[in-house]
Amino acid sequence: MSDARPGHPALQVRALNKSFGTFKVLTDIDLSVDQSEMVFVLGPSGSGKSTMLRCCNRLEEPDSGEILVGGAPLTGSGVNLNAMRQRIGMVFQSFNLYPHLTALGNVTLALRRVQKLPRETAEAAAREALDRVGLADRAGHHPAQLSGGQQQRVAIARALALRPEVMLFDEPTSALDPELVGDVLAVMRDVKAQGMTMLVVSHEMKFARDAADRVIFMDGGRIVEQGTPEQVFGAPREARTRAFLGRLHG
């Protein structure tokens, strides 16, 4: 069940700043993602996209600023980080599956360790999550027996099984062979259709055009431009956005 407060965005970032040593990675990031919205974040390498995403569940600790999930603070003192992280699922570029566990075992593990569910309850929830990503028939397979795309879909199932309010995707298809990308994107599209709120860092431009509600362009640790896919791709306002998109299509 969602703990989101009525009327609040699913995810809100306010005046977020982050440095690594003397290098300023993020500068005054303000971002709001509404319930059931899919927001795509685009930008060149080193623009701060992944760092921003990792700050959104405090895998990276912000230097300053505020992050709220469903109106509840994720930053600040006294936050139960383990409880809050269950509200924010994250899917990484690398699948991070345990090779000695089956697909079912990988998805069940967090349910048992984090949510302390009994084995039968956890396995039922895990099977349901695997079914959602089209892998019900691969529950007994180990990662080495699965394609890269199937492994990433297991990773998505693992995040979905915890029933988060928001899903963060950090370049979820960049480690995949091109012919495997479509299956993962199809799962993401289905998850969105089921009402999940999603913040996605990706270079899959066609998917962003087709599936995103809003597109954000970052450069130099700042949000340079945001708008609908039609606006950002079709008539970008900022010269930096036009240059970036021009190089991609050049």
Side-chain angles (χ1 to χ4, degrees):
M1 179 181 292
S2 171
D3 294 317
R5 300 174 186 175
H8 285 271
L11 177 67
Q12 202 163 10
V13 178
R14 298 173 178 164
L16 183 69
N17 289 275
K18 176 66 179 175
S19 296
F20 293 121
T22 59
F23 181 62
K24 190 75 179 282
V25 184
L26 299 172
T27 302
D28 294 331
I29 297 291
D30 287 308
L31 173 64
S32 182
V33 184
D34 289 332
Q35 305 284 343
S36 302
E37 187 180 27
M38 180 194 276
V39 175
F40 252 73
V41 185
L42 308 176
S45 297
S47 59
K49 308 183 300 295
S50 290
T51 300
M52 180 188 72
L53 214 62
R54 292 170 68 85
C55 284
C56 285
N57 69 353
R58 284 180 58 185
L59 284 175
E60 296 287 356
E61 197 63 33
D63 296 333
S64 63
E66 191 177 20
I67 300 168
L68 301 102
V69 179
L74 178 67
T75 45
S77 59
V79 172
N80 182 338
L81 197 52
N82 284 336
M84 289 299 293
R85 278 189 177 145
Q86 292 180 56
R87 298 173 65 176
I88 316 172
M90 186 149 186
V91 177
F92 299 90
Q93 180 174 332
S94 52
F95 321 127
N96 297 329
L97 300 180
Y98 290 100
H100 64 289
L101 295 178
T102 62
L104 183 67
N106 270 282
V107 179
T108 304
L109 189 64
L111 292 165
R112 299 199 67 205
R113 285 195 178 172
V114 177
Q115 295 190 341
K116 310 297 185 188
L117 296 179
R119 179 183 294 276
E120 284 188 10
T121 307
E123 288 194 354
R127 288 185 186 280
E128 180 186 336
L130 286 168
D131 186 49
R132 284 180 73 181
V133 301
L135 290 176
D137 61 339
R138 297 290 192 272
H141 288 57
H142 287 78
Q145 300 171 293
L146 301 172
S147 70
Q150 290 170 333
Q151 290 182 59
Q152 188 62 293
R153 285 151 63 194
V154 172
I156 294 172
R158 178 176 57 190
L160 284 173
L162 294 170
R163 299 190 178 278
E165 295 163 38
V166 180
M167 292 270 284
L168 309 175
F169 291 83
D170 189 8
E171 298 282 8
T173 60
S174 65
L176 301 179
D177 291 334
E179 67 269 20
L180 302 176
V181 168
D183 287 344
V184 172
L185 296 181
V187 166
M188 291 173 66
R189 193 186 293 272
D190 288 345
V191 169
K192 174 183 167 24
Q194 293 161 18
M196 181 60 70
T197 305
M198 301 164 71
L199 183 60
V200 181
V201 169
S202 177
H203 288 98
E204 297 291 342
M205 299 295 172
K206 184 179 186 304
F207 186 63
R209 275 183 181 270
D210 294 344
D213 296 298
R214 188 154 43 101
V215 174
I216 286 172
F217 174 69
M218 286 183 68
D219 190 38
R222 297 177 184 271
I223 292 177
V224 174
E225 182 164 1
Q226 60 180 304
T228 64
E230 294 79 13
Q231 184 265 306
V232 172
F233 288 114
R237 291 184 293 266
E238 301 295 327
R240 185 67 193 87
T241 315
R242 290 195 294 272
F244 175 76
L245 294 172
R247 278 205 300 276
L248 291 179
H249 300 133

